[in-house]
Amino acid sequence: MSFSEEPVFRQPEATHEVVMKSRKSLEITGVKEVESFDNEEFLLETSMGFLSVRGNQLHIKNLDVHEGVISIEGKVDDLVYVDAAQEKSKGFLGKLFK
């Protein structure tokens, strides 16, 4: 008589989407953590890597940590993904604040 192993349930990787409307509002899914934010920059850890959002008068409209969704309002100037290779070669903060 053999015992089968219990099935391993893996949570699927959260989908990651960025929807921007008129450079005034963003809805981002697949957010794991909000690393830092102020009215000029948000640094988000997403399922696809770190995402920097830069602009003016940025603020959180909505945050759902269980669903991994954030809504940001303000004037959006820049969206940049920071890859792991860039982190190692130039330093994480060096890349963000060049």
Side-chain angles (χ1 to χ4, degrees):
M1 181 176 195
S2 67
F3 293 96
S4 63
E5 292 182 27
E6 298 226 1
V8 176
F9 294 102
R10 295 185 184 179
Q11 208 170 21
E13 190 170 306
T15 59
H16 174 58
E17 295 180 345
V18 178
V19 177
M20 181 167 35
K21 296 180 182 174
S22 301
R23 289 183 63 184
K24 293 180 182 177
S25 68
L26 282 172
E27 182 165 317
I28 304 169
T29 63
V31 176
K32 294 180 178 181
E33 189 172 338
V34 177
E35 291 287 328
S36 65
F37 68 94
D38 60 29
N39 65 348
E40 293 182 343
E41 182 174 19
F42 279 67
L43 180 59
L44 310 171
E45 181 181 0
T46 74
S47 59
M48 299 296 291
F50 284 92
L51 175 62
S52 172
V53 178
R54 294 180 188 156
N56 293 303
Q57 299 177 345
L58 299 177
H59 61 275
I60 296 174
K61 178 181 175 188
N62 188 32
L63 174 65
D64 186 335
V65 293
H66 297 293
E67 294 294 321
V69 177
I70 188 169
S71 298
I72 299 171
E73 288 186 332
K75 182 178 181 276
V76 178
D77 292 329
D78 192 40
L79 297 171
V80 177
Y81 285 92
V82 182
D83 294 334
Q86 291 173 334
E87 285 181 42
K88 292 177 186 171
S89 66
K90 295 187 178 182
F92 183 69
L93 292 176
K95 177 61 179 169
L96 284 178
F97 301 110
K98 62 178 180 175

